[in-house]
Amino acid sequence: MNGHVKSMQFQLCMEPATTLLSLLLLMAVDSTRTVAASRNQQCGSSLQQTLKLTRLIQKESVDLIKTYKASQGEMSELLCKVSITGVPDPNISGLEPSEKIVSIYTHLQAFLPHFKRVYEQQTDLQSPASPLLAGLTHVSDRSKYLAALINLFYQSLFPNVPIPEPAGGPTALPPPQNVFQQKVYGCVVLKTYKELLSNVSSELRTLKNRMCRKRIQINRLRMT
């Protein structure tokens, strides 16, 4: 058998292998694109769900403030205008997306004990059937669920990095208060929480545009 015949036989043997390799590469690229598209869709869908819940709670918080004022008797319009300390800051901190997500989560968590304190105080001031008590419970429960969604989204992006605890620990609750101070405190807590939800909504929109689109661009670069 001369060298020319051997060369032809070698090429014939290699052609099926080359074709198979090409098919495998095409399948791998297609699979990568499918996974990337799924992840990008999941990123946008997760943030959109969280954003919708934030807007819903924000609307409910506006209604809750109206209910709160209506249940406090005289001078209720002045309650939210009094300046007090000890209420969590409504502003989101951090430069990187991960820092902002952590800040959103810790701020939501920080308000939960304040909701509990306001509920306890208003239990002594309202009748058991008061719509205010039901509204406080409802908003508090929704806030816990929103914090859980934020936590899940963070874990999907950083699966091996748990959300750190606040550097200064949980927000301290106010010392014993008289009735007027309780009324002021409750109104300021609800008003500040509404401001927090507005800030969270704005940050989530920015994160959705920044992170999900960025992941799409990165995946496109990897596939080119």
Side-chain angles (χ1 to χ4, degrees):
M1 184 180 295
N2 58 37
H4 179 67
V5 174
K6 289 182 178 179
S7 176
M8 289 182 63
Q9 289 179 336
F10 178 76
Q11 289 178 358
L12 289 173
C13 291
M14 287 299 295
E15 284 180 1
T18 303
T19 303
L20 178 60
L21 180 60
S22 299
L23 288 172
L24 290 173
L25 287 173
L26 286 173
M27 290 173 63
V29 170
D30 185 64
S31 175
T32 301
R33 288 176 177 172
T34 301
V35 171
S38 176
R39 287 177 177 174
N40 292 326
Q41 184 178 8
Q42 182 180 8
C43 175
S45 176
S46 176
L47 275 180
Q48 185 62 30
Q49 179 186 6
T50 307
L51 183 56
K52 286 177 64 177
L53 180 59
T54 303
R55 289 170 175 167
L56 175 61
I57 304 174
Q58 185 179 1
K59 179 180 180 300
E60 292 175 342
S61 69
V62 173
D63 296 335
L64 183 59
I65 291 175
K66 294 178 182 178
T67 303
Y68 186 91
K69 290 179 178 179
S71 66
Q72 301 305 308
E74 298 179 358
M75 301 176 61
S76 59
E77 288 297 328
L78 299 177
L79 297 176
C80 290
K81 298 180 180 180
V82 179
S83 178
I84 64 172
T85 59
V87 176
D89 182 4
N91 297 311
I92 307 301
S93 60
L95 298 176
E96 296 299 321
S98 60
E99 296 171 338
K100 289 184 178 294
I101 297 172
V102 168
S103 180
I104 291 172
Y105 176 79
T106 54
H107 276 69
L108 290 170
Q109 290 288 92
F111 269 90
L112 295 179
H114 290 272
F115 281 137
K116 183 178 179 181
R117 173 61 65 85
V118 173
Y119 181 88
E120 291 171 347
Q121 292 176 343
Q122 291 298 315
T123 299
D124 296 331
L125 301 175
Q126 308 294 328
S127 67
S130 169
L132 174 60
L133 298 180
L136 286 168
T137 300
H138 182 72
V139 170
S140 179
D141 289 342
R142 282 204 190 275
S143 299
K144 292 175 184 177
Y145 183 54
L146 178 60
L149 285 181
I150 295 293
N151 191 5
L152 286 174
F153 180 69
Y154 179 87
Q155 295 300 331
S156 70
L157 296 177
F158 313 100
N160 299 318
V161 185
I163 288 186
E165 295 294 327
T171 306
L173 293 173
Q177 301 167 308
N178 60 38
V179 172
F180 178 76
Q181 290 173 329
Q182 291 178 13
K183 292 183 176 183
V184 169
Y185 167 70
C187 200
V188 173
V189 166
L190 296 181
K191 176 186 174 183
T192 308
Y193 185 66
K194 181 175 71 70
E195 294 174 11
L196 170 66
L197 292 173
S198 177
N199 294 334
V200 170
S201 180
S202 177
E203 291 294 345
L204 290 177
R205 286 196 301 270
T206 301
L207 286 170
K208 183 181 177 183
N209 293 331
R210 180 179 176 184
M211 297 191 66
C212 298
R213 290 181 181 179
K214 183 177 180 181
R215 293 181 70 178
I216 291 174
Q217 293 172 351
I218 291 174
N219 287 323
R220 284 176 177 171
L221 290 173
R222 288 175 177 173
M223 291 185 291
T224 56

